Amino acid sequence: MTRITVNVDGTKYSDEVEPRTLLVQYLRESLGKTGTVIGCDTSNCGACTVHLDGTSVKSCNMLAVQADGHEVTTIEGLAKNGELHPLQTAFHECHALQCGYCTPGMIMQSCDLLKNNPDPSEQEIREGLEGNLCRCTGYQNIVKAVQQAARQGKESGQQSGQGDADGNPVDLNEAEQTVGATS
Amino acid sequence: MIPATFDYLAPTSVADAIAALEEHGDEAKVLAGGQSLLPILRMRLNAPGVVIDLGKISELQGVTEDGDDLVIGAMTTYFDVLASDAVSTHAALLNKAIATVADPQIRHRGTIGGALVHADPAGDVGAPALALGASFVIAGPGGATRTVAADDFFEDLFQTAVGEGELLTQIRVPKHTGWGAHYEKFVRVSHQWSIVGIAATVRSEGGAIAEARVGLTNMGSTPLRAKAVEEALVGQPATDEAVRAAVAQVADGTNPPSDLNGDSDYRKHLATVLTRRAVLAAAGA
């Protein structure tokens, strides 16, 4: 057994884990974070996507011990003060899901995409989500949801004057940046 | 799918990692970014007794410049290589090839050194490294280091010059400042391994090709460099006709695999088409 200390969704955890434990297993079975799901189990589908220190990773394709000393954000940590993250709202409003199984990973990857590119074209959204598979929607409404969240981010960025040097919004990922404040 | 049981070591220096490799010998497997190793462990295609994770060795991460070379730490992630202005400026070919690897999540974790030592012939990093004439710094027991030239690095399927008890620590890439570059990858679905990939970088002078470097992905058991084609391209205008003729023999002497994606002859045909496209794109035509 190996002791790891990980900050997950703003809470610090210290646990003994078997080295072979996958990060997704640790999140689901040890911490009860079942919002992160296991889809293909072969690192193809992206359903298990979480953020490690603010960048997206497939949590079925890394060991829990590799997360030692790092911050993990799951879909359960995106909402802030009971308010859904703009991407969660957009997926809801645009009907960007049918069965919903790919949704946690889609939202986490979309969040990463908008962090790096706050105003993506349709093609950039499709390429940014190439590691996430959906068997229901045909992707149309997923792309629309990301576009809506990007638009909202832009508007709120303009209203609050929080744009970066290029006038792009910077507050869409605020929920994530404050993760860890409680530990 | 869960890997078989193993012991886990996370050394914080190259010296400690080498010592761990010496101690555990055949039993040990090195974990870099893990994006190829984790699926292998989970499918139990390999079941090492000890996994040595290099993730906590900060000296292996990052891109620096050393005179006429770029020095890329073996544990630098694809994402960080892509984000490096030095790489885009001085080794654009590497940037173009790595941008096609897998998907964003994999690129956040996967490392350039891990991919090179794994040496999957369908991987996209070997051919550009070969074409750019990279050299490979390998650390061994007792603080020894040696440098292996690109042409001697890839030995066979999944086999490189990195021997038992050794670690790849740096990839040194000669600067190709001002060279145009293109990686032409043929796949049928998104984030797939290359069926065939062609890495081309070109220095143009007065509308003609002054120098060219061409690397081939998945055209044999190792990445290959097409030196005859490189020579044939020198002095040619960057036109469809001239480049088509110069690259026509690119598949000569290669022995690409046959599989469900296509047979060997099909890959040879693909190589000529993709090389023409890659060279023309690299020459800005």
Side-chain angles (χ1 to χ4, degrees):
Chain A
M1 301 292 268
T2 301
R3 175 155 293 276
I4 59 169
T5 303
V6 192
N7 188 309
V8 182
D9 294 337
T11 304
K12 193 173 172 182
Y13 298 89
S14 189
D15 283 304
E16 295 276 341
V17 297
E18 253 196 290
R20 64 174 172 161
T21 309
L22 304 173
L23 177 60
V24 70
Q25 254 187 300
Y26 173 69
L27 294 172
R28 289 175 57 84
E29 295 170 18
S30 298
L31 306 188
K33 298 265 179 189
T34 49
T36 301
V37 296
I38 300 170
C40 67
D41 210 10
T42 57
S43 76
N44 282 293
C45 81
C48 65
T49 299
V50 300
H51 293 184
L52 185 78
D53 296 335
T55 57
S56 58
V57 299
K58 292 181 172 176
S59 63
C60 81
N61 211 28
M62 66 178 280
L63 302 168
V65 287
Q66 291 178 284
D68 178 40
H70 295 279
E71 276 185 18
V72 176
T73 308
T74 76
I75 187 72
E76 298 186 27
L78 270 196
K80 203 171 65 170
N81 302 325
E83 285 209 18
L84 291 181
H85 186 281
L87 270 164
Q88 291 174 304
T89 307
F91 268 63
H92 178 209
E93 289 177 353
C94 296
H95 194 57
L97 55 132
Q98 288 178 31
C99 87
Y101 204 82
C102 73
T103 310
M106 283 288 178
I107 289 179
M108 295 311 285
Q109 180 53 28
S110 300
C111 194
D112 187 272
L113 166 69
L114 292 180
K115 182 186 69 183
N116 292 316
N117 181 0
D119 191 17
S121 66
E122 179 182 337
Q123 187 60 29
E124 287 169 334
I125 293 171
R126 290 182 183 276
E127 282 177 10
L129 295 176
E130 71 173 328
N132 293 73
L133 304 180
C134 174
R135 298 285 84 145
C136 307
T137 64
Y139 302 97
Q140 298 291 69
N141 287 351
I142 292 174
V143 173
K144 282 182 192 164
V146 178
Q147 286 170 326
Q148 175 176 313
R151 268 197 308 275
Q152 280 177 347
K154 212 171 179 177
E155 283 163 16
S156 63
Q158 280 162 359
Q159 280 163 12
S160 60
Q162 288 177 330
D164 64 15
D166 300 323
N168 293 318
V170 292
D171 63 340
L172 200 64
N173 293 280
E174 201 178 276
E176 189 178 6
Q177 285 161 5
T178 57
V179 159
T182 58
S183 65
Chain B
M1 292 183 291
I2 311 297
T5 308
F6 54 77
D7 290 331
Y8 173 79
L9 298 171
T12 53
S13 71
V14 170
D16 288 352
I18 299 276
L21 274 174
E22 267 190 293
E23 185 185 341
H24 297 286
D26 272 357
E27 277 291 281
K29 191 82 193 156
V30 173
L31 172 63
Q35 300 305 287
S36 293
L37 183 60
L38 260 288
I40 288 168
L41 296 182
R42 282 163 35 206
M43 289 185 275
R44 305 208 179 186
L45 299 172
N46 198 330
V50 181
V51 168
I52 301 172
D53 180 4
L54 306 183
K56 295 195 171 176
I57 308 181
S58 52
E59 63 187 289
L60 291 178
Q61 296 166 15
V63 181
T64 54
E65 295 183 46
D66 180 15
D68 292 335
D69 284 348
L70 288 179
V71 183
I72 305 176
M75 282 293 288
T76 309
T77 63
Y78 291 126
F79 185 77
D80 286 341
V81 175
L82 288 174
S84 162
D85 288 338
V87 172
S88 308
T89 306
H90 302 299
L93 182 58
L94 210 47
N95 176 290
K96 294 280 171 74
I98 287 179
T100 73
V101 173
D103 57 50
Q105 293 100 313
I106 303 280
R107 292 194 293 268
H108 282 144
R109 291 292 299 168
T111 64
I112 184 168
L116 288 164
V117 178
H118 183 52
D120 189 317
D124 298 303
V125 191
L130 207 52
L132 289 167
S135 55
F136 300 82
V137 182
I138 298 170
T145 61
R146 63 193 182 101
T147 302
V148 174
D151 288 342
D152 302 321
F153 184 75
F154 298 102
E155 295 184 343
D156 205 346
L157 201 66
F158 302 113
Q159 204 174 312
T160 69
V162 180
E164 215 172 278
E166 292 187 319
L167 277 183
L168 175 67
T169 57
Q170 292 176 342
I171 300 99
R172 297 184 69 96
V173 183
K175 289 181 181 175
H176 285 64
T177 317
W179 289 50
H182 188 76
Y183 188 70
E184 186 76 16
K185 175 172 177 169
F186 190 82
V187 286
R188 295 194 305 184
V189 297
S190 179
H191 71 84
Q192 197 187 9
W193 295 91
S194 277
I195 295 172
V196 172
I198 304 292
T201 191
V202 168
R203 185 172 68 79
S204 303
E205 222 174 70
I209 296 170
E211 287 180 273
R213 302 283 179 268
V214 177
L216 316 180
T217 300
N218 214 12
M219 287 295 289
S221 58
T222 66
L224 300 171
R225 184 164 161 191
K227 286 188 179 168
V229 165
E230 293 174 2
E231 282 164 24
L233 283 165
V234 173
Q236 298 295 330
T239 63
D240 188 277
E241 197 183 3
V243 171
R244 185 187 295 265
V247 308
Q249 316 302 324
V250 69
D252 283 9
T254 63
N255 187 21
S258 290
D259 58 29
L260 288 174
N261 285 314
D263 63 22
S264 189
D265 285 343
Y266 175 64
R267 281 192 163 85
K268 287 184 175 183
H269 167 71
L270 265 183
T272 60
V273 175
L274 302 180
T275 304
R276 173 170 48 86
R277 290 182 190 165
V279 169
L280 285 170

